[in-house]
């Protein structure tokens, strides 16, 4: 047995099997993709905060923003005024506030706010 140990080839420790390398690469990729997700969420949050600031200035809205209800747009409607929210058919909207008349203040998935007529919304 001692003779077998004597002729055993020596392998340096820094050489790693191919499987181990693949395993390390996949874990690195996962970590990198997590960082990308965090970065995109940060950018999205920054954009949402900017849209909220513009909304508060435009509408002179000082109340806390709470979602009352969610609605789906029945048809596509372009904005005619600056305060109107352009919507596309099937788009999900968060109803923020009910106003006098037949319009409600809504927020779309991009974080933009504006008036939408109730007749263009489906509350299911």
């Amino acid at each position: 047995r001692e003779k077998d140990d004597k002729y055993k080839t020596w392998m340096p420790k820094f050489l790693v099997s191919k499987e181990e390398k693949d395993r390390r690469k996949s874990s690195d990729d996962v970590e990198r993709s997590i960082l990308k997700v965090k970065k995109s969420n940060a950018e999205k949050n920054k954009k949402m905060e900017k849209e909220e600031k513009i909304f508060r200035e435009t509408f002179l809205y000082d109340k806390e923003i709470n979602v009352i209800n969610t609605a789906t747009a029945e048809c596509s409607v372009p904005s005619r005024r600056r305060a109107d929210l352009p919507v596309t058919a099937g788009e999900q909207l968060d109803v923020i506030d009910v106003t006098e008349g037949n319009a409600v203040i809504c927020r779309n998935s991009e974080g933009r706010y504006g008036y939408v007529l109730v007749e263009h919304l489906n509350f299911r």
Side-chain angles (χ1 to χ4, degrees), residues 58-110:
T58 307
F59 289 80
L60 301 174
Y61 196 84
D62 58 350
K63 301 180 212 172
E64 186 178 341
I65 296 176
N66 291 326
V67 178
I68 299 169
N69 202 345
T70 56
T72 306
E74 289 184 334
C75 57
S76 297
V77 181
S79 63
R80 296 185 182 153
R81 301 177 297 167
R82 185 175 182 193
D84 291 341
L85 181 66
V87 294
T88 57
E91 183 179 12
Q92 290 282 355
L93 301 171
D94 296 331
V95 179
I96 303 299
D97 201 358
V98 180
T99 60
E100 295 176 13
N102 60 347
V104 291
I105 298 174
C106 293
R107 175 177 62 195
N108 65 6
S109 60
E110 296 172 4

Side-chain angles (χ1 to χ4, degrees), residues 3-4 19 35 57 70 74 83 94 101 105 113 115:
K3 290 180 183 179
D4 290 339
E19 296 168 355
L35 294 175
E57 290 172 359
T70 56
E74 289 184 334
D94 296 331
I105 298 174
Y113 295 84
Y115 290 114

Side-chain angles (χ1 to χ4, degrees), residues 108-123:
N108 65 6
S109 60
E110 296 172 4
R112 299 194 68 206
Y113 295 84
Y115 290 114
V116 179
L117 296 176
V118 175
E119 56 204 41
H120 299 301
L121 300 176
N122 185 3
F123 293 94

Side-chain angles (χ1 to χ4, degrees), residues 44-65:
K44 191 173 184 180
N45 287 340
K46 196 173 186 179
K47 185 178 178 185
M48 295 279 263
E49 287 174 6
K50 183 180 176 185
E51 291 290 342
E52 183 178 333
K53 184 179 177 184
I54 293 169
F55 162 70
R56 287 189 183 279
E57 290 172 359
T58 307
F59 289 80
L60 301 174
Y61 196 84
D62 58 350
K63 301 180 212 172
E64 186 178 341
I65 296 176

